[in-house]
């Protein structure tokens, strides 16, 4: 994790007169959008115990992060199939081997529900692969956002600041250009997140059977 202020030497010279608290929030807001749209910050959460008769489980996320997307879930040795919560029409108390999962807010906390409800306990039975984003109040960001995507985050933050009307640093024309650059970097990051950091051939050698 790196402090939000570590982006300031790249950002503040572009937006002279911008208060640092405003600049910090712009960095966080840009990082949130970048992570939500690119899914570039991913983590496998610690395996959680599964309890017989319990269908709902909260996500144990790293500090100062929120959930952008659940990428996959494994219960025991079985990969669970994600489904919309509205598609689960059978009584949620149905017990058995979980095959599906869906998410729903419970008391303002995003919670995963297994279906069917587990009929057996497993001390290390549930693992989620997730994409993360910063919380709105974050003071630190994932190190990859600085090490790999600093220019993109700075462009997104500067665009937000310059689009603020009636300020010494307002520059709506430049804000449009920077936001276009930012969104191009989002697309590049999303492609990398999908493919991983590998070099692969685009061709497939056919084999006879």
């Amino acid at each position: 994790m790196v402090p939000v202020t570590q982006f300031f030497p790249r950002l503040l010279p572009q937006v002279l007169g911008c208060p640092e608290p405003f600049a910090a929030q712009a960095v966080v807001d840009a990082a949130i959008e970048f992570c939500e749209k690119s899914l570039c910050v991913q983590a496998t959460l610690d395996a959680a115990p599964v309890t017989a008769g319990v269908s709902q489980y909260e996500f144990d996320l790293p500090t100062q992060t929120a959930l952008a997307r659940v990428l996959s879930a494994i219960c025991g040795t079985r990969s669970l199939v994600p489904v919309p919560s509205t598609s689960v029409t059978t009584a949620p108390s149905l017990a058995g081997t979980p095959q599906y999962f869906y998410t729903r807010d419970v008391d303002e906390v995003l919670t995963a529900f297994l279906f069917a409800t587990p009929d057996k306990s497993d001390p290390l039975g549930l693992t989620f692969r997730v994409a993360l984003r910063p919380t709105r109040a974050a003071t630190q960001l994932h190190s990859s956002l600085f090490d790999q995507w600093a220019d993109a985050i700075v462009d997104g933050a500067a665009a937000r600041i310059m689009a603020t009307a009636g300020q010494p640093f307002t520059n709506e024309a430049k804000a449009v250009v920077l936001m276009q650059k930012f969104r191009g970097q989002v697309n590049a990051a999303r492609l990398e997140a999908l493919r991983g950091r590998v070099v692969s051939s685009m061709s497939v050698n056919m084999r006879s059977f």
Side-chain angles (χ1 to χ4, degrees):
M1 302 287 279
V2 299
V4 169
T5 54
Q6 200 156 331
F7 292 85
F8 283 5
R10 290 173 167 81
L11 173 63
L12 293 181
Q14 301 185 53
V15 289
L16 295 177
C18 178
E20 288 193 1
F22 187 35
Q25 193 58 63
V27 169
V28 172
D29 290 346
I32 289 173
E33 182 178 353
F34 192 85
C35 291
E36 286 183 339
K37 292 183 176 179
S38 70
L39 307 180
C40 67
V41 177
Q42 300 182 8
T44 299
L45 304 182
D46 292 339
V50 171
T51 303
V54 177
S55 63
Q56 62 185 69
Y57 297 85
E58 293 184 6
F59 298 95
D60 185 14
L61 302 176
T63 183
Q64 300 196 48
T65 67
L67 187 68
R69 189 79 55 84
V70 181
L71 303 175
S72 64
I74 297 175
C75 188
T77 59
R78 180 187 294 270
S79 293
L80 303 181
V81 179
V83 295
S85 59
T86 54
S87 69
V88 181
T89 57
T90 310
S93 59
L94 177 67
T97 300
Q99 300 183 56
Y100 306 95
F101 79 96
Y102 58 95
T103 61
R104 182 179 293 164
D105 284 328
V106 177
D107 296 329
E108 298 186 353
V109 177
L110 188 65
T111 303
F113 288 79
L114 308 187
F115 185 79
T117 298
D119 58 359
K120 296 178 181 178
S121 296
D122 186 336
L124 293 174
L126 184 60
T127 304
F128 291 104
R129 179 74 178 170
V130 299
L132 301 171
R133 66 165 180 83
T135 61
R136 196 67 64 179
T139 58
Q140 295 186 320
L141 303 179
H142 194 277
S143 59
S144 68
L145 296 177
F146 183 78
D147 293 336
Q148 189 176 1
W149 302 109
D151 288 344
I153 302 302
V154 168
D155 285 345
R160 284 163 172 77
I161 295 170
M162 292 177 184
T164 306
Q167 300 298 322
F169 43 79
T170 300
N171 189 331
E172 295 182 1
K174 190 171 181 180
V176 170
V177 173
L178 290 175
M179 186 55 69
Q180 290 174 340
K181 289 178 59 181
F182 172 76
R183 288 173 177 160
Q185 291 282 66
V186 167
N187 292 334
R190 185 172 180 86
L191 286 174
E192 182 170 298
L194 291 172
R195 296 182 303 189
R197 298 182 190 178
V198 298
V199 177
S200 61
S201 171
M202 295 299 292
S203 63
V204 177
N205 293 325
M206 301 300 293
R207 294 190 308 168
S208 57
F209 293 90

